[in-house]
Amino acid sequence: EVQLVESGGGLVQPGGSLRLSCAASGFTFSSYEMNWVRQAPGKGLEWVSYISSSGSTIYYADSVKGRFTISRDNAKNSLYLQMNSLRAEDTAVYYCARLTDGYSYYFDYWGQGTLVTVSS
Amino acid sequence: EIVMTQSPATLSVSPGERATLSCRASQSVSSNLAWYQQKPGQAPRLLIYGASTRATGIPARFSGSGSGTEFTLTISSLQSEDFAVYYCQQYNNWPPAWTFGQGTKVEIK
């Protein structure tokens, strides 16, 4: 069974940093492209960042470019999101989401999410 | 950026009735469209991809149609477990700039 379990969320002051983790199991993690998707309270979904299966290709949404860094450790079956210079508008539930295999870019499995609150 | 617009924002439906949800793209996304279901406090769940293909384990009462800029998700006979928020997502871009609609809440009438 595919499982994605996020951790690392919490309350942080504006300008602060946080590192999110996503532990994957039930599939060959190193074969799949992974993403972070976020959802502000009461709002819709926003794609945040993509990383290829090897970690060699990375993309970000404009809203987080230059502040967030995605990475992965295939030996540990883990995905990460380093978030720096956090702003109030970064407050959201952050989901780890697996991209389906092949050349279609939809998300076939999601974690339960971890809440990040940016507030003084 | 491709803007996805869903309508209506809220749909009130009685159990057993049919629900029709719409999603419009600001430019053509071909058939590169997915639908997700999200219940309160839960992660989104993939329902439909390729505009019309049901994901594994999704009941046949869910169907998707459309291409280009106009898409529809139909739930043929609403069950109690189907009351949720539904999102469409386009994945026609590379490099990624994938975008979601703002969601349609299906509530009990």
Side-chain angles (χ1 to χ4, degrees), chain A residues 4 32-35 37 47 50 97-110, chain B residues 31-36 44-56 58 87-94 96 98-100:
Chain A
L4 299 168
Y32 284 84
E33 301 155 285
M34 298 297 294
N35 296 264
V37 178
W47 169 77
Y50 159 96
R98 191 181 86 168
L99 211 60
T100 191
D101 54 6
Y103 292 99
S104 289
Y105 308 116
Y106 56 88
F107 309 104
D108 60 358
Y109 286 95
W110 301 63
Chain B
S31 294
N32 296 315
L33 185 107
W35 289 94
Y36 302 88
R45 176 175 73 144
L46 176 67
L47 296 177
I48 301 283
Y49 61 90
S52 60
T53 303
R54 279 189 303 279
T56 302
I58 301 303
Y87 293 96
C88 60
Q89 176 228 338
Q90 66 79 18
Y91 51 92
N92 198 52
N93 323 78
W94 189 264
W98 307 313
T99 49
F100 295 83

